[in-house]
Amino acid sequence: MSGTTHHRSSHDTAPPSDVTDTLLWRLAYDVAEAHQPDAAGRCQNLLCGGRQAPCDPLLNAERAMRLARGDAGAAAPAPAPRPRPAAPARPEHPRTGREAA
C-alpha cells in the first residue's frame, strides 16, 4: 500500500446538516470540484477533453449530492425495460417432424 495520502477538497468542507449519506456527498463534491468550467465555459478536467460545461461527470456529481441529502426528486425515473426478443423456434427433426431437442 502506498505511503502517500491524498488531500481532497471535501475534507475542508463540512457537509450540509441535512446530508444522510456523508460518503456519497463527499465523493460527489470532489468530482464536482474536479469538473468546474474554465473561463471559456469548458470543463477543465483532462478526462473531459475540453467539452462544454456542464459535463456529464459534473451533472452526475450534482445529482449525487442532491441524493445524499435525501432529495428523492433528484432520482431519475427508472428506464422502461426493453422487450426481450422472442426465442428462436427450434428446428424440426428432418425424419420425425418434431422439434429437435
Side-chain angles (χ1 to χ4, degrees):
M1 191 164 153
S2 172
T4 62
T5 58
H6 298 282
H7 180 77
R8 305 277 185 208
S9 56
S10 64
H11 293 273
D12 298 332
T13 306
S17 61
D18 61 344
V19 167
T20 57
D21 189 336
T22 306
L23 179 59
L24 175 61
W25 187 89
R26 288 188 184 282
L27 289 170
Y29 183 90
D30 291 333
V31 171
E33 283 291 309
H35 288 269
Q36 290 300 305
D38 60 13
R42 300 199 174 277
C43 181
Q44 60 187 351
N45 191 289
L46 295 176
L47 296 174
C48 287
R51 282 187 236 149
Q52 188 67 33
C55 61
D56 288 340
L58 178 59
L59 294 174
N60 289 332
E62 290 172 346
R63 180 173 172 256
M65 290 174 74
R66 289 190 304 272
L67 287 170
R69 297 177 83 170
D71 183 1
R82 285 199 221 163
R84 297 179 91 186
R90 291 185 174 183
E92 291 183 0
H93 192 276
R95 287 191 210 155
T96 64
R98 294 186 192 163
E99 288 184 357

